Amino acid sequence: MASAAAAAVTLGGKGAALSPAAVYALSLGLASPAIDASVLKSLSTRAPSPQETPASLAAALAPAESRAAAAVLLNKLLLTASDSASALVTAATATRLAESLDVAAALPLGSRDEAAVAAASAPVAVALAALIDCCAAPLARVADAVAALSCEAARGDAAAFDVPASGDGLSAKDEADVAADIKMLVFGSKLVGSAGGAPAPAAATFAKVSTVNGIFREAVRALHARVRIELNAPVKLGKRDAGETGAGKEEALVVLATQLARAVQALCKLSISRSRLCAESIADGDLREKLTNGVSIDDLKGMLDRVLIDSDAVSVLKGVYNHLLKFRDFLAWEAAVAMAVIEGDSSIEKPQAGVENEVGSSADKPQAGGEKGKGDKKSKKKKTLGKGTSAVLMLLRDHVTNGNAIASVNSALVAEWGTSLSLLFDPKCSGLESLVEKVKEIVESNEVRRLPKIPKGTRDFGKEQMAIRERAFSIITGVFKMHGATALDTPVFELRETLMGKYGEDSKLIYDLADQGGELCSLRYDLTVPFARYVAMNNISALKRYQIAKVYRRDNPSKGRYREFYQCDFDIAGVYEPMEPDFEVIKVLTELLNQLDIGTYEIKLNHRKLLDGMLEICGVPPQKFRTVCSSIDKLDKQTFEQVKKELVDEKGISNETADEIGNLVKTRGPPLEVLLGLRKEGSKFMQNEGSVVALNELEILFKALEKANALDRIVFDLSLARGLDYYTGVIYEAVFKGATQVGSIAAGGRYDNLVGMFSGKQIPAVGVSLGIERVFAIMEQQEKERNEMIRATETEVLVSILGKDLTLAAELVSELWSAGIKAEFKLTTRVTNHIKYALQSGIPWMVLVGESEMQKGSVKLKDVKANQEEEVARKDFVQELKKRLSKP
């Protein structure tokens, strides 16, 4: 910041923003204010009308604090004048503030508008918060660097920084980022131990670093965001702001600053603990004792309490600022002690400017004249610091020594280092910016060494997996097209209002996108609601469509359950005879599962009207039907006792009603048999109007499925509820019955009212969605059990040139491509490499061309599996291959 000494900070200009760093520079006289010329012209030249001093400017301030507050007030006055042509801000007040940069010298304010701006903007509190922000922001990086250096000096455990970022919102991002940054700083170190290598106290101390430093980062960022707004937002005179006293702004800043103070308190304690750990490794007892007691935990006693008990905002903010300065001193002392330990340890290789820090770099190098020193054969290789901590150490060392050599380390020298480093950590020191930039450069340049990860609940698919998927998609698309369905695609995100209110309790799983200042959008949860929106938006009365696309759910990932996955949907919308589209959709589902050849499965089926009738018979109030259905839908994953507890404790259903529900949902079996039982004389279902309608529809459906040879896969199951709100009729769910436990693999039902939610025009619809990810899991497991090679390509011929003649390869392979033969080419002199590649890729035929074949004008055709070769004329090789591949 020293470079800003001669600089001017322009205030009030359009597009310009006053930063906390600029406020800090102005407060110390390192920069001077300059009023934007265009704003200055717009200020009133009328004579000032002295006003009563607002309470927000009455606080007793130190000179630097007064300068900062004056800069904030001046900027607020100029911003307000620029924002509102009617705002009466006098040139006299603005000029006095700019020239003196002293709040007291600017009083009294020259107009009612000026007094209103001063009262509403809380300039003193904002200025103090800006000073805190400016000092705290760089310390977030410095604290990480010093902790990494202490980890080296104390021979800490790198495992302390194994903090995974889960990507599911259940881990702290800042904590994970701190851990990753420190791991980058110590990368390559031979001092930092592996898991279990550090003493228990050291392990416990360093294990806290990621959490505490992460909380500090979070608090700094929150305060910075608020300060940036308060520094640069104009006061809206004549509106709400004009009547404010600024107390609300002060309260918000106090809340954020005290959160920062609590984080600083934790940082102070941790810094003291680390400095003592470092000192304990010093062999010299006298020096060890002096460095161990160089700072005291007693210095912190009552400090945070004094900050928090102050009643006025200005006193609290001053206390937080002083607390932050105390932490800066503790951090500087810790860095000095860590440096002393490293500099005094002869077993550590000291990094030098311009010398790459590598293991044993100097121990292995010969001395001048090319001869090794005496005893070098027996000497041990020196241990090196991490590349990041080496760079940090060199910066700190150069600052405290001015480039001079360190003869010996003693307590007085370490104390000097501590004082010098505390000055380095002050934003007014230009070296702080260099240090922060160096740390940032280290962690970002080392980014390539971090193994990249994908978010939790997502997957990558390699070539073998994609081969299985493409085969499955081909089968699925073929079945859909066989039934006359047309393809449809819709956006991956929809307006949030389109999706909300359609999924019941599952609405909480919808991924909302960040508001970019426009429409509120969410990632699609399924393909059914977008289909209904499409039908309604385009005023379509009938459509049979299929769609294969990805959907997104903010679910808890588990085996077979992902956050991003494909759905394969088949839907029929329009008015038809009873059960006509329902029959076809279920028939499509059985054909899909049969042709995919995944093994044994069953399709559980129920009817929403029958389910509602059952709940009505049991005495459940109609307004609770959907929420009770959501609980019943969990019976495939939980016992009835668990579901009953939820019904009674969370949903207000009586024990008797829950037990009656439990008795009925046990009903399941062959469709026609269960149907007959539910329709027998005396059945309560036959006394319920909705249930009678459902049973009549199911009779039509079951008879049609029986004629289509599809009924044997169906199980009539009264426990099937399907938690989604939009279902109105038949509902079904396919479950895999094989060894691979994946749960539901397909589901669907009738949704007669969903389209009407968008257009008001009711278009009945029915559909099914295949959970293709779970089907893939089954298919992949089957391939493993068969122990057969999965071909990732469909290549039929490999053109193998035994040399490096690309032009020959291009000529031959192009002839094959032109003939519709799937071919690849390879250039290498070793024939074994060609054969190995063909075997690994499952390519059945090879065209081998070496020096002798070129001279003869021939090629060799090799049957890879049979290991047989035949030489044919060059001009005939395409036709010969077409014969062998049985191509027309």
Side-chain angles (χ1 to χ4, degrees), residues 583-650:
F583 154 73
E584 185 171 12
V585 170
I586 296 173
K587 177 61 177 172
V588 164
L589 176 56
T590 61
E591 289 175 358
L592 283 175
L593 298 179
N594 289 340
Q595 291 194 32
L596 288 169
D597 193 25
I598 60 171
T600 307
Y601 66 89
E602 71 175 20
I603 300 173
K604 297 189 290 185
L605 184 146
N606 200 357
H607 198 297
R608 210 57 184 275
K609 290 178 181 177
L610 188 65
L611 192 60
D612 288 350
M614 179 186 75
L615 297 179
E616 187 177 337
I617 290 167
C618 294
V620 177
Q623 65 270 21
K624 292 189 175 182
F625 281 3
R626 294 289 75 85
T627 187
V628 171
C629 281
S630 179
S631 296
I632 294 174
D633 194 43
K634 298 175 184 177
L635 281 170
D636 61 337
K637 306 177 190 73
Q638 299 178 4
T639 66
F640 179 72
E641 288 306 314
Q642 291 173 305
V643 171
K644 178 183 175 181
K645 188 175 188 304
E646 180 179 309
L647 288 172
V648 174
D649 294 349
E650 299 178 24

Side-chain angles (χ1 to χ4, degrees), residues 369-662:
E371 295 181 6
K372 290 188 177 183
K374 186 178 180 180
D376 279 354
K377 288 184 179 180
K378 294 183 179 178
S379 65
K380 294 182 179 179
K381 290 182 179 180
K382 291 190 175 184
K383 294 190 175 182
T384 55
L385 302 172
K387 291 191 176 182
T389 42
S390 292
V392 170
L393 178 63
M394 283 192 288
L395 273 174
L396 299 183
R397 187 173 59 197
D398 288 347
H399 178 79
V400 299
T401 65
N402 292 318
N404 297 322
I406 301 171
S408 63
V409 176
N410 55 57
S411 59
L413 181 63
V414 176
E416 287 179 16
W417 288 356
T419 302
S420 179
L421 290 176
S422 184
L423 295 174
L424 171 64
F425 298 163
D426 189 325
K428 70 183 178 185
C429 178
S430 60
L432 177 61
E433 185 177 351
S434 300
L435 174 61
V436 171
E437 286 302 313
K438 173 56 70 174
V439 174
K440 187 177 178 182
E441 176 191 330
I442 291 165
V443 298
E444 289 181 355
S445 65
N446 276 331
E447 194 77 34
V448 294
R449 294 195 178 99
R450 302 185 192 184
L451 284 176
K453 298 183 293 186
I454 59 173
K456 196 172 181 181
T458 62
R459 290 196 293 169
D460 289 324
F461 300 99
K463 55 186 181 180
E464 290 84 5
Q465 291 169 306
M466 285 305 301
I468 295 172
R469 286 174 164 252
E470 288 177 351
R471 187 173 79 240
F473 283 141
S474 177
I475 292 170
I476 293 164
T477 304
V479 171
F480 289 159
K481 288 183 175 181
M482 186 169 63
H483 285 260
T486 56
L488 175 69
D489 192 22
T490 56
V492 74
F493 55 90
E494 297 273 351
L495 291 177
R496 191 169 188 272
E497 64 192 44
T498 299
L499 303 181
M500 297 310 293
K502 313 299 190 304
Y503 303 106
E505 294 183 7
D506 282 352
S507 292
K508 64 180 181 289
L509 302 182
I510 292 173
Y511 267 114
D512 292 329
L513 299 181
D515 181 11
Q516 303 295 333
E519 300 167 321
L520 292 177
C521 298
S522 300
L523 294 178
R524 61 188 174 205
Y525 176 89
D526 65 6
L527 301 178
T528 305
V529 171
F531 169 63
R533 188 265 309 151
Y534 173 83
V535 171
M537 193 175 78
N538 292 281
N539 196 28
I540 295 170
S541 59
L543 178 65
K544 184 188 291 185
R545 83 88 171 87
Y546 74 89
Q547 184 174 358
I548 301 175
K550 287 182 177 180
V551 298
Y552 301 86
R553 297 185 184 178
R554 196 164 52 86
D555 208 344
N556 185 31
S558 59
K559 184 175 176 61
R561 185 182 294 272
Y562 303 98
R563 290 177 162 177
E564 177 195 60
F565 55 95
Y566 271 100
Q567 280 190 341
C568 303
D569 277 25
F570 177 88
D571 293 80
I572 302 174
V575 178
Y576 297 90
E577 292 299 316
M579 295 293 103
E580 180 184 344
D582 306 71
F583 154 73
E584 185 171 12
V585 170
I586 296 173
K587 177 61 177 172
V588 164
L589 176 56
T590 61
E591 289 175 358
L592 283 175
L593 298 179
N594 289 340
Q595 291 194 32
L596 288 169
D597 193 25
I598 60 171
T600 307
Y601 66 89
E602 71 175 20
I603 300 173
K604 297 189 290 185
L605 184 146
N606 200 357
H607 198 297
R608 210 57 184 275
K609 290 178 181 177
L610 188 65
L611 192 60
D612 288 350
M614 179 186 75
L615 297 179
E616 187 177 337
I617 290 167
C618 294
V620 177
Q623 65 270 21
K624 292 189 175 182
F625 281 3
R626 294 289 75 85
T627 187
V628 171
C629 281
S630 179
S631 296
I632 294 174
D633 194 43
K634 298 175 184 177
L635 281 170
D636 61 337
K637 306 177 190 73
Q638 299 178 4
T639 66
F640 179 72
E641 288 306 314
Q642 291 173 305
V643 171
K644 178 183 175 181
K645 188 175 188 304
E646 180 179 309
L647 288 172
V648 174
D649 294 349
E650 299 178 24
K651 307 203 169 168
I653 302 300
S654 69
N655 275 299
E656 295 76 13
T657 299
D659 287 335
E660 196 165 348
I661 292 171

Side-chain angles (χ1 to χ4, degrees), residues 204-277:
T205 298
F206 288 108
K208 297 176 184 177
V209 171
S210 301
T211 302
V212 175
N213 287 29
I215 291 171
F216 181 60
R217 277 194 189 189
E218 187 178 346
V220 168
R221 189 170 58 252
L223 179 65
H224 176 75
R226 184 74 190 193
V227 167
R228 186 175 61 84
I229 293 170
E230 299 302 346
L231 285 176
N232 297 290
V235 175
K236 301 293 183 181
L237 294 174
K239 296 188 178 180
R240 177 178 62 83
D241 284 357
E244 284 189 350
T245 62
K249 292 179 171 60
E250 290 179 347
E251 185 66 26
L253 291 170
V254 165
V255 169
L256 294 170
T258 50
Q259 288 176 347
L260 180 68
R262 292 183 184 279
V264 168
Q265 182 80 352
L267 283 169
C268 288
K269 291 179 179 179
L270 203 54
S271 180
I272 292 171
S273 296
R274 291 196 302 264
S275 64
R276 288 179 173 176
L277 274 174

